[in-house]
Amino acid sequence: MDKPFAITLDPGSSLANRTGSWRTFRPEYLDRLPPCNAACPAGENIQGWLFHAESGDYEKAWQSLVENNPLPAIMGRVCYHPCEGGCNRQHVDSAVGINSVERFLGDEARKQGWKFAPPAASTGKRVLVVGSGPAGLSAAYHLTRLGHQAVIYEAAPLAGGMMRFGIPKYRLPREVLDAEIKRLTDFGVELHLQTKVADVLQAMKDGFDAVFLGVGAHIAKRAYIPAGDANKVLDAVAVLRGMEGHDAPMLGRKVVVYGGGNTAIDVARTARRLGAEEAIIVYRRTRDKMPAHDFEVEEALQEGISIKWLSTIKEAGESDIMVEKMALDDKGFPQPTGEFERIEADSVVLALGQDADLSLLENVPGLVVEGGLIQVDAGMMTGHPGVFAGGDMAGSERTVTVAVGHGKKAARAIDAWLRGEVYAPPPKPEIATIERMNSWYYSDAPKTMRPVLDIIRRQSTFEEVLGGLDESNALFEARRCMSCGNCFECDNCYGVCPDNAVIKLGPGKRFRFNYDYCKGCGICAAECPCGAIRMVAEEN
Amino acid sequence: MSFQPVKFYQTGTFTVGNRLLPPEERSVQASAKRFNSINSGHRACQGCGEALGARYAIDAAMEATDGQVIAANATGCLEVFSTPYPETSWQIPWIHSLFGNTAAVATGIAAALKVKGLSQNPKTRVVAQGGDGGTTDIGFGCLSGMFERNDDVLYICYDNGGYMNTGVQRSSATPPAARTATTMAVGPEPGNVFGQGKFVPAIAMAHNIPYVATATVADLRDLEAKVRRAMEFRGARYIHILVPCPLGWGTPSQDTIKMARLAKETGIFPVFEAEHGEIKSVLAIRRPLPVEDYLRPQKRYAHLFGKTPALATIAHIQELADRNIRKYGLQARKEGH
């Protein structure tokens, strides 16, 4: 065709004009790491399971959750939810109630009888797991998923470790614990109760290819307190364990608990429920220095527990104790003041921390123990090849969630080790910080509060203190998630592109850039609510 | 509010789409089958607010009329970047008018449709569109005549505050104190004069035509609802859309929507709709901000934030925004109400 002067194109569409050549920066989709996931000691993909909960597909959400953690109903009650501390929503209004949604999913699973997805094909390998606490259960679960036969030896008559013998019922009802353990044994985890392992290498000779140790830390630390014969000085571990027997411990009318950790709080609240008129926590430092979590201190105070700050117990008499007042020095350490006070007390419970019983490891060469903790490498393997460890015996941060994380990490490392390899965790993407997001797009929505048991029943019964969410407010809470760093198909990039250079691939398939026409203006990246697009300089 | 906002579905109706909403409750722009009335390959600058606003508006008009739209387009950025002969980005019947007569051309198209009996069934509708230069300055006489005769045309003005494609000259829609090529930032009162202002949506309302609305590219749902509403009327209708211009405003190309949002949130640009001369709804401010937040990122206001900030000028602009907030009742209110 003869074209007029300076005209190069046939009359028609501008599609012949590839404006992509203008670009100096190109947009790219990526998945960033949500801060909740980064903060989860159990390595849950929280944003991932909330994504399914948001659309009301609770079973899929639960299935996604248990890929990393087999104990959602327990987690939703006892986890201290560091995820919520990391949640970006706190910069908008308040953190998403991740823990309450997790509990809802865990309880739904119990109600509906959801089961784990079938494990991988059997490898024929057998792994011994010593201890049925959270670390052991988690390790056994993940080993089973990977196709190995996991066999748990538990010394106690019931499974659960500190979840049963340490955490009071008002925080973790035992039917919840039992249900989640039963789901694991149904899944194929072999559980032998009242089977104490005295020598781990000996036990391994029963045809095991590797061992995971999760024996916990249940030997109470003692402090020397001169005590008269008549006074009862008990330790917290024994008191809490005693709650699982037929006869509750006799603590008397006035109970003093010595210590400042979560265990001290648990014992004081337990004492109150057993009928103590007074439960007093004596702690040598101040509230801000207390290792117990603030919300637990708050709940204890609500229940009428009193706390004597900056105090140490000097001696325990027949019906009272002598307390010395302390003062913090320049470095924040408590120092005695020489001022004394007497407090009435029928019993004193020591909650000063716990040590691990490492006697089963006495004959194992190569092990390193430091500060009462068994030393492990990045894959949770001890100095002795094939012997892995996790949970309270291997870490100073002693929570159920950390233990579950240890169990998972160890299971993956064991799996690799059994194949003669070393487990290499996939590289972590950069964190989706709030600065990388555009929070304008999220609807205003304050956090849903969970129902709390009334105070009288909290002082007299072991009913669960914190209630759960129902379907409608669990859905609401899930939808408060901002899906940080991960596309949730809001269509913003597709809509805001002035050049129609974003291709919508359909539900669940996300989007693709059409670099033939993208001019690289960057509006898509600026207006992506969740920060799942980045701009990268074009190379010449 | 021009539409029923979804109160809480994670992102409600703030985002273009929302996987939690049924498809019919999502925006036109969220659909994979949207018309793309103005297609890829156009020569608008990176981050052009007008290209975006035009697609938002015309796609919504096409959706509301089952694809039966004829557009007349004044000379200006939109015409230049979309249709350099022999190619065009428009995927609709589209007629280029002179700079000043697009309202008259649209009137003529509407009259022709009526004569040919095409305006009722199938109901082909006429849209006229132009920039602020072609609307508030050069085409103003034709526009007022179209209003006064109540011709069956939806006129859409894309307001970027100046003659941008010819090199950023001042128009009567250029805001006070803004630097343009013809209002340099020199002398005792740098930038554009404060003057009396010329807010064409208010003038349109003074004609008591069936429908007048303002919108921005930052509130897609509101914009689409207004185009849809406009198509429910016969007679003269006017929608004035604020479309930030990275070139003329001196803003980064990725901040186009952000600037429109700031204009609305500071009260600089009131977003409302009116029927037969009476205001029917306003889009309230969601998170109130001082005008400084809107002015500071724009290079056309850089002279206000030099070594000695022009506090009196900024205060004057704040007064104008405050007047808008009072006059149109834009005060922030609780979400969902």
Side-chain angles (χ1 to χ4, degrees):
Chain A
M1 176 186 159
D2 286 332
K3 296 193 176 71
F5 174 71
I7 297 298
T8 54
L9 300 169
D10 294 329
S13 165
S14 62
L15 288 175
N17 188 28
R18 303 288 175 93
T19 51
S21 62
W22 302 12
R23 204 168 50 238
T24 54
F25 280 81
R26 67 159 58 204
E28 285 178 2
Y29 289 107
L30 78 165
D31 287 335
R32 290 187 168 120
L33 183 63
C36 51
N37 293 8
C40 179
E44 285 185 19
N45 180 3
I46 295 162
Q47 178 276 329
W49 58 255
L50 279 172
F51 181 85
H52 298 298
E54 284 152 26
S55 56
D57 193 343
Y58 304 119
E59 183 167 3
K60 212 165 176 186
W62 182 84
Q63 289 293 356
S64 164
L65 202 172
V66 298
E67 280 173 25
N68 290 296
N69 188 335
L71 310 170
I74 295 171
M75 281 299 130
R77 291 174 165 83
V78 304
C79 180
Y80 293 112
H81 41 77
C83 50
E84 294 183 26
C87 177
N88 275 333
R89 181 115 204 168
Q90 67 191 298
H91 306 295
V92 176
D93 39 38
S94 54
V96 175
I98 296 166
N99 187 249
S100 59
V101 181
E102 184 168 31
R103 169 166 164 178
F104 170 78
L105 294 175
D107 289 351
E108 277 300 293
R110 283 198 297 137
K111 264 186 242 163
Q112 314 283 350
W114 294 334
K115 295 196 167 18
F116 297 130
S122 172
T123 60
K125 303 277 187 189
R126 294 179 84 229
V127 181
L128 173 63
V129 174
V130 185
S132 68
L137 291 175
S138 166
Y141 165 72
H142 285 286
L143 287 165
T144 308
R145 269 172 64 94
L146 293 164
H148 310 299
Q149 179 61 55
V151 181
I152 300 179
Y153 285 178
E154 168 60 56
L158 291 166
M162 275 299 177
M163 295 187 292
R164 186 180 302 275
F165 297 107
I167 297 174
K169 283 178 188 160
Y170 60 84
R171 278 180 57 207
L172 178 58
R174 296 305 182 246
E175 61 272 21
V176 174
L177 178 62
D178 292 339
E180 298 221 309
I181 292 172
K182 179 163 187 305
R183 191 188 293 122
L184 285 167
T185 52
D186 290 348
F187 184 54
V189 172
E190 221 175 278
L191 177 62
H192 300 272
L193 297 171
Q194 289 178 299
T195 308
K196 190 171 166 68
V197 175
D199 180 333
V200 73
L201 294 184
Q202 191 61 40
M204 274 184 78
K205 287 181 184 157
D206 291 349
F208 292 109
D209 299 291
V211 62
F212 174 78
L213 306 171
V215 299
H218 45 77
I219 303 173
K221 284 186 184 162
R222 307 289 298 193
Y224 176 69
I225 298 172
D229 295 339
N231 198 292
K232 283 176 77 174
V233 179
L234 305 158
D235 73 70
V237 179
V239 169
L240 293 174
R241 190 189 295 129
M243 292 303 298
E244 289 305 302
H246 291 294
D247 300 309
M250 304 289 280
L251 297 174
R253 246 170 4 94
K254 298 191 175 186
V255 181
V256 168
V257 182
Y258 195 24
N262 291 317
T263 308
I265 305 277
D266 285 345
V267 171
R269 296 175 73 182
T270 297
R272 195 88 171 96
R273 285 166 170 78
L274 286 174
E277 287 165 23
E278 272 184 47
I280 303 171
I281 293 172
V282 174
Y283 179 53
R284 66 197 168 94
R285 296 197 287 180
T286 51
R287 178 161 178 179
D288 53 318
K289 295 261 186 340
M290 205 173 192
H293 288 84
D294 208 51
F295 77 91
E296 291 208 63
V297 176
E298 203 48 56
E299 286 181 3
L301 292 172
Q302 286 164 8
E303 289 167 15
I305 282 141
S306 50
I307 305 179
K308 280 199 95 61
W309 309 105
L310 286 169
S311 303
T312 54
I313 299 179
K314 295 312 286 182
E315 61 176 64
E318 199 168 316
S319 62
D320 61 4
I321 57 163
M322 177 86 88
V323 162
E324 180 172 11
K325 288 200 176 144
M326 309 296 275
L328 293 186
D329 63 16
D330 299 343
K331 288 174 186 159
F333 290 108
Q335 301 295 345
T337 59
E339 267 185 74
F340 294 92
E341 187 189 351
R342 284 196 171 278
I343 301 175
E344 281 187 67
D346 297 324
S347 60
V348 177
V349 183
L350 305 180
L352 303 167
Q354 289 115 253
D355 289 322
D357 178 1
L358 302 178
S359 60
L360 79 166
L361 296 169
E362 264 163 25
N363 302 322
V364 182
L367 289 191
V368 183
V369 176
E370 251 172 56
L373 297 175
I374 189 137
Q375 301 299 300
V376 291
D377 65 12
M380 309 307 291
M381 188 158 81
T382 66
H384 188 91
V387 176
F388 296 74
D392 287 1
M393 69 187 294
S396 52
E397 201 192 330
R398 290 173 165 174
T399 69
V400 176
T401 322
V402 167
V404 167
H406 283 179
K408 178 175 89 170
K409 208 193 267 186
R412 289 177 177 173
I414 291 169
D415 175 62
W417 188 82
L418 289 173
R419 283 182 276 111
E421 294 167 15
V422 174
Y423 178 70
K428 284 192 174 164
E430 63 188 16
I431 293 195
T433 56
I434 190 75
E435 293 77 25
R436 289 175 167 140
M437 299 173 57
N438 189 336
S439 62
W440 166 265
Y441 288 101
Y442 298 98
S443 306
D444 298 348
K447 185 171 180 168
T448 316
M449 302 311 285
R450 291 198 235 189
V452 177
L453 193 67
D454 72 75
I455 196 73
I456 297 299
R457 285 199 288 172
R458 276 169 62 182
Q459 288 169 335
S460 54
T461 75
F462 283 87
E463 281 175 55
E464 193 165 17
V465 170
L466 209 51
L469 302 179
D470 62 26
E471 200 273 334
S472 69
N473 50 25
L475 184 66
F476 180 90
E477 200 53 38
R479 286 175 173 184
R480 293 182 69 242
C481 172
M482 306 200 295
S483 193
C484 306
N486 290 264
C487 175
F488 61 113
E489 297 185 14
C490 72
D491 293 328
N492 252 21
C493 52
Y494 176 65
V496 301
C497 177
D499 296 288
N500 309 342
V502 177
I503 298 162
K504 182 170 171 161
L505 300 173
K509 297 181 190 153
R510 299 186 173 184
F511 306 87
R512 192 160 59 75
F513 288 111
N514 184 346
Y515 291 115
D516 284 347
Y517 298 105
C518 166
K519 293 170 185 164
C521 70
I523 294 183
C524 53
E527 301 303 325
C528 174
C530 67
I533 301 174
R534 70 171 161 207
M535 299 301 293
V536 183
E538 286 283 356
E539 284 173 28
N540 293 324
Chain B
M1 191 162 281
S2 58
F3 65 108
Q4 187 59 46
V6 171
K7 201 169 168 190
F8 182 72
Y9 265 84
Q10 194 167 37
T11 54
T13 34
F14 290 114
T15 43
V16 170
N18 184 333
R19 70 184 177 98
L20 303 174
L21 289 178
E24 64 275 14
E25 285 183 40
R26 301 180 199 174
S27 71
V28 173
Q29 288 300 312
S31 166
K33 291 189 208 120
R34 73 185 185 206
F35 286 87
N36 279 338
S37 306
I38 174 165
N39 208 352
S40 305
H42 63 68
R43 292 154 194 239
C45 305
Q46 291 160 321
C48 176
E50 190 172 30
L52 187 58
R55 196 188 74 224
Y56 283 180
I58 304 301
D59 276 2
M62 290 287 277
E63 179 75 22
T65 58
D66 297 326
Q68 297 286 307
V69 170
I70 297 179
N73 203 133
T75 297
C77 281
L78 184 60
E79 165 268 318
V80 167
F81 74 64
S82 67
T83 315
Y85 179 81
E87 69 187 70
T88 184
S89 305
W90 291 101
Q91 309 203 75
I92 58 168
W94 182 90
I95 296 164
H96 176 206
S97 73
L98 297 179
F99 211 154
N101 70 349
T102 199
V105 168
T107 294
I109 298 169
L113 289 171
K114 197 172 171 189
V115 167
K116 287 182 165 281
L118 294 173
S119 65
Q120 296 305 321
N121 198 16
K123 49 174 189 176
T124 306
R125 305 298 300 270
V126 183
V127 172
Q129 50 183 356
D132 51 290
T135 306
T136 74
D137 291 350
I138 306 173
F140 188 66
C142 292
L143 180 68
S144 180
M146 185 200 104
F147 289 162
E148 190 265 334
R149 294 187 302 270
N150 200 25
D151 294 325
D152 189 17
V153 173
L154 167 62
Y155 192 104
I156 301 174
C157 170
Y158 304 103
D159 175 7
N160 58 15
Y163 294 84
M164 299 314 191
N165 83 81
T166 48
V168 193
Q169 290 85 13
R170 175 196 181 275
S171 81
S172 59
T174 300
R179 179 206 66 194
T180 68
T182 46
T183 58
M184 304 291 270
V186 292
E189 287 181 34
N192 191 25
V193 292
F194 270 81
Q196 292 305 303
K198 181 175 181 182
F199 191 49
V200 171
I203 304 175
M205 279 173 64
H207 291 75
N208 292 324
I209 55 173
Y211 189 74
V212 174
T214 63
T216 81
V217 287
D219 287 287
L220 170 66
R221 296 305 200 92
D222 174 72
L223 191 161
E224 289 187 348
K226 283 168 175 170
V227 172
R228 199 161 47 240
R229 179 76 181 133
M231 285 305 181
E232 289 167 9
F233 292 94
R234 290 280 172 173
R237 290 143 288 142
Y238 180 73
I239 298 181
H240 189 103
I241 303 174
L242 184 70
V243 290
C245 171
L247 173 75
W249 295 18
T251 47
S253 61
Q254 73 267 23
D255 285 348
T256 297
I257 289 177
K258 179 179 157 193
M259 294 318 301
R261 183 180 302 133
L262 287 169
K264 180 228 154 194
E265 291 294 282
T266 54
I268 289 270
F269 186 80
V271 181
F272 62 89
E273 65 179 343
E275 292 176 12
H276 305 290
E278 286 180 54
I279 294 214
K280 286 294 178 191
S281 76
V282 300
L283 201 56
I285 290 168
R286 186 177 178 215
R287 293 178 186 153
L289 292 168
V291 293
E292 192 187 326
D293 289 33
Y294 168 74
L295 301 173
R296 197 183 272 278
Q298 303 183 46
K299 284 207 191 103
R300 63 176 173 164
Y301 296 115
H303 57 279
L304 302 182
F305 301 97
K307 274 186 191 141
T308 45
L311 297 177
T313 310
I314 298 167
H316 196 166
I317 296 171
Q318 183 68 58
E319 275 172 37
L320 297 179
D322 290 345
R323 190 177 69 187
N324 277 339
I325 294 170
R326 267 197 319 278
K327 187 172 170 184
Y328 294 99
L330 306 174
Q331 295 85 354
R333 55 201 77 166
K334 218 173 160 214
E335 200 162 281
H337 293 274

